[in-house]
Amino acid sequence: MLNAILNNTKGDRWIWLIVIVLSLISLLAVYSSTGTIAYQHGTGAESFLMKHLAMVVAGIALMYISHKLDYRYYAGISKILMAITIPLLLYTLLFGNNLNDASRWIAIPGTGLTFQTSDLAKLALITYLARTLSRKQENIKDVKNSFIPIMGSVCVVFILIALANLSTALMLFGVSILLLIIGRISIKQISIVCVAGAVLLAGVMLLGPRRATYISRINAFMHPEKVDADKSYQSDHAKIAIATGGVLGKGPGNSTERNYLPHPYSDFIYATIIEEYGLIGGFVIVCIYLFLLYRCIKIVTKAPKAFGALLAAGLSFSLTIQAFGNMAVAVGLGPVTGIPLPFVSMGGTSILFTSIAFGIILSVSKDIEEPKKVVVGEIREVAVA
């Protein structure tokens, strides 16, 4: 059975290896960092580990399924996703589960699970932009038929996410701009999108429902000496975890700051990893994501179709920017946000959407491998003849 699965597993082998390595790191880190929350719930850390393991296994299964599907089908799926995403984002803002004055989650009926609609929105917007940019290449400078639909989709998704989750919205907006650049949108039009985004950002920062939270976090980051200790509590303990970890770390399961950090298993899991595995462990994580970006760039440059190249570029940029955003916050290079470390942080449906993104990238890489096999087969047939 294992051989059958391996024989049917296509795409970039290095990306498959990266996913397996990140999964193992995630299981170790989550098991170590959930002791406090397990105690608060009156259970053992093993129960959280098993739930996380189930999500990781489900994620890899979804990755396998999505990589088997020809990536060209995602062009049509993107229209359906966008039609679903925007109403879901509106519904989340109005009726979603509220936590820390932010409505980011909606419940999945009958399952007891919740998911962040922004995770679906990332997948929907990137696939939609890749489809639109690839199909409008011949008249890419047409304002009415090309530019306005692209700008409208980016700005609408940005504002709907930003009202509850500014950090995710900014990262998605940045990925969208990168796709516009790759898709040969003119500098003038890209500048217009950036100006529109800046206006929307100013509106969210000054008039949005979470304006006080955003301003407080920026002040705590820019002027930590002038704010109350509770405002910089999370970043202070993340820095303590990193400082006490040293070069080699305290060893697996020996973190102490996991007892003080509010989310050592998700938002600040990178700080927990450095505390236990030292700077060496933190450096290994950085290298893994850099290598992932390198492999994805190779896929982008070799993709035979514009849609595949744009799709792989958008999804890979999204994953790596999110990863480095999470790590930057943990080491004090950015204000506190609620961004998880892709495929490492404990999560529910976020792991599933990340897995689908990996699967789509693998589907694009599979399309690169198959033409090579056809060419080799044709050469052999000619040689035999």
Side-chain angles (χ1 to χ4, degrees):
M1 181 178 178
L2 180 60
N3 288 332
I5 293 174
L6 291 175
N7 291 333
N8 285 287
T9 299
K10 308 297 182 181
D12 192 301
R13 300 294 181 183
W14 286 107
I15 293 181
W16 280 107
L17 181 60
I18 288 169
V19 169
I20 293 170
V21 171
L22 288 177
S23 300
L24 294 175
I25 292 172
S26 176
L27 292 172
L28 290 171
V30 167
Y31 180 59
S32 174
S33 58
T34 51
T36 300
I37 189 174
Y39 176 78
Q40 293 171 350
H41 285 77
T43 184
E46 293 80 7
S47 62
F48 286 91
L49 175 64
M50 296 310 295
K51 290 178 182 177
H52 183 62
L53 176 61
M55 280 295 174
V56 169
V57 172
I60 293 176
L62 279 176
M63 190 186 312
Y64 179 81
I65 294 169
S66 57
H67 108 285
K68 294 292 287 183
L69 181 64
D70 191 315
Y71 74 89
R72 297 175 186 86
Y73 287 107
Y74 292 106
I77 293 172
S78 67
K79 297 186 293 182
I80 301 173
L81 288 179
M82 283 297 290
I84 295 172
T85 294
I86 292 176
L88 273 180
L89 288 171
L90 281 169
Y91 178 85
T92 304
L93 284 174
L94 297 174
F95 308 107
N97 295 350
N98 193 286
L99 180 64
N100 296 329
D101 298 322
S103 296
R104 302 179 184 177
W105 296 266
I106 58 175
I108 302 175
T111 65
L113 298 174
T114 60
F115 81 98
Q116 279 190 256
T117 46
S118 60
D119 290 328
L120 176 62
K122 284 188 287 187
L123 196 62
L125 182 60
I126 290 170
T127 53
Y128 178 77
L129 284 179
R131 173 188 178 275
T132 305
L133 289 169
S134 63
R135 295 197 174 189
K136 303 287 185 179
Q137 284 296 298
E138 294 182 359
N139 58 343
I140 198 67
K141 296 183 180 180
D142 187 324
V143 174
K144 181 179 179 181
N145 296 319
S146 299
F147 178 63
I148 290 179
I150 291 170
M151 178 179 173
S153 60
V154 172
C155 290
V156 168
V157 172
F158 173 77
I159 190 65
L160 290 176
I161 297 176
L163 289 170
N165 192 348
L166 183 59
S167 54
T168 297
L170 285 173
M171 285 193 299
L172 185 55
F173 187 83
V175 171
S176 300
I177 296 298
L178 288 173
L179 279 179
L180 296 186
I181 295 171
I182 298 172
R184 300 192 303 113
I185 294 290
S186 69
I187 298 299
K188 180 181 178 181
Q189 291 177 333
I190 292 174
S191 300
I192 294 172
V193 178
C194 290
V195 170
V199 172
L200 293 174
L201 175 62
V204 171
M205 292 287 293
L206 299 175
L207 304 173
R210 303 195 71 209
R211 57 187 180 276
T213 301
Y214 297 146
I215 294 172
S216 173
R217 288 181 175 179
I218 292 173
N219 286 333
F221 172 68
M222 298 296 294
H223 307 287
E225 72 285 351
K226 296 182 181 180
V227 298
D228 296 335
D230 60 331
K231 299 291 185 182
S232 60
Y233 178 85
Q234 298 180 73
S235 57
D236 287 344
H237 280 282
K239 293 173 184 175
I240 292 171
I242 293 169
T244 56
V247 177
L248 299 177
K250 298 177 178 178
N254 292 326
S255 169
T256 54
E257 290 305 311
R258 64 186 176 187
N259 299 319
Y260 302 98
L261 282 167
H263 303 286
Y265 44 82
S266 56
D267 299 352
F268 288 95
I269 197 165
Y270 186 63
T272 305
I273 290 172
I274 294 179
E275 185 181 8
E276 295 189 347
Y277 299 94
L279 292 177
I280 294 176
F283 182 70
V284 168
I285 298 292
V286 171
C287 289
I288 290 173
Y289 284 107
L290 285 175
F291 186 60
L292 170 64
L293 181 60
Y294 166 73
R295 295 305 305 177
C296 290
I297 289 174
K298 288 198 70 174
I299 293 169
V300 172
T301 56
K302 293 181 179 180
K305 302 292 184 180
F307 175 65
L310 290 166
L311 190 58
L315 293 174
S316 60
F317 287 148
S318 175
L319 290 170
T320 50
I321 289 173
Q322 180 179 331
F324 285 104
N326 174 278
M327 291 185 280
V329 170
V331 300
L333 294 178
V336 174
T337 62
I339 304 171
L341 191 58
F343 227 88
V344 175
S345 294
M346 185 178 77
T349 52
S350 63
I351 290 180
L352 304 183
F353 284 109
T354 300
S355 301
I356 293 172
F358 271 115
I360 295 173
I361 294 171
L362 287 166
S363 179
V364 177
S365 70
K366 182 181 66 173
D367 190 59
I368 297 170
E369 293 179 351
E370 288 175 352
K372 289 182 179 179
K373 292 179 181 178
V374 172
V375 171
V376 171
E378 290 175 352
I379 293 172
R380 287 177 179 172
E381 288 176 5
V382 171
V384 171

